[in-house]
Amino acid sequence: MDEQKAKQIADYIFKDVFGIENYYSLEQLQKKFAIDIPSTQKVSCTLSKKDTWTISSKENKIASQKAIADQFKKDEWMRKKKSIGSVEDILKAWDEINYLTGEKYVNSQEVAESDGIYNSASVYHSMSVFDSKNIIFSYKIFDCNYMLASRDDSSCTLGIRTKESIFCSSGFEISWSNKVSKSMYIHDGFDLYECLFCSHIRSRKYCIANMQFEKEEYFKLKNNIIKWILKD
């Protein structure tokens, strides 16, 4: 995974959600949509002195998973036995060999600038991602595909700023919802299609602020809302 591949994924999500080509850079997308999404921090690996990425940058001793594996190949992380006379001696000895592991990837491919990635592929600048693919600037994602600047979601597809939701797709600013698609600014919705700024409603389409609209007038207003969202 590199920035070019990440940009291609972001472009695909952006066009699906907003219906237009993405004209933002990756950095601009992060600042506009992911500013409040927990993200990895770049730190120096204590062992290799190279950059690594971690969920926590507060620890002084952080080593990349690769650097730790490389050290294992040299000596299996074993040391010569020395005299231990107290708990303090044990704690000191442990501190000498204990590093917080960064860039933790398990059974994952094409991952960059991320940490805590499990059974996933094509993940960029994200953390705590499980069984997912094509994830950008996101946190705590489970069994999802093509998600940008999202968090705490399961079984969602093609979302930007989707939060605490399940089985949602092609949406923007969807939160605490289930089976919502092609919608924007939805909270606590269920079984919604093409709705905007709605909360607590069920099994509806072409609604705005919990009011029913005709299809034609709905899309006219939706186009204006998209322009408003993307206005710098």
Side-chain angles (χ1 to χ4, degrees), residues 36-90:
D36 59 342
I37 304 295
S39 64
T40 51
Q41 303 295 315
K42 182 168 69 173
V43 298
S44 177
C45 172
T46 307
L47 294 176
S48 68
K49 310 305 179 185
K50 297 179 180 179
D51 289 341
T52 189
W53 296 82
T54 178
I55 290 174
S56 174
S57 61
K58 295 181 180 180
E59 297 288 338
N60 293 324
K61 294 170 59 179
I62 298 175
S64 69
Q65 180 173 286
K66 181 181 183 305
I68 289 173
D70 289 343
Q71 184 65 39
F72 183 86
K73 292 176 183 178
K74 295 178 181 179
D75 58 15
E76 296 187 347
W77 280 92
M78 294 301 295
R79 301 192 300 169
K80 291 182 179 180
K81 181 181 177 181
K82 62 181 181 180
S83 177
I84 296 290
S86 65
V87 173
E88 287 73 19
D89 289 342
I90 295 173

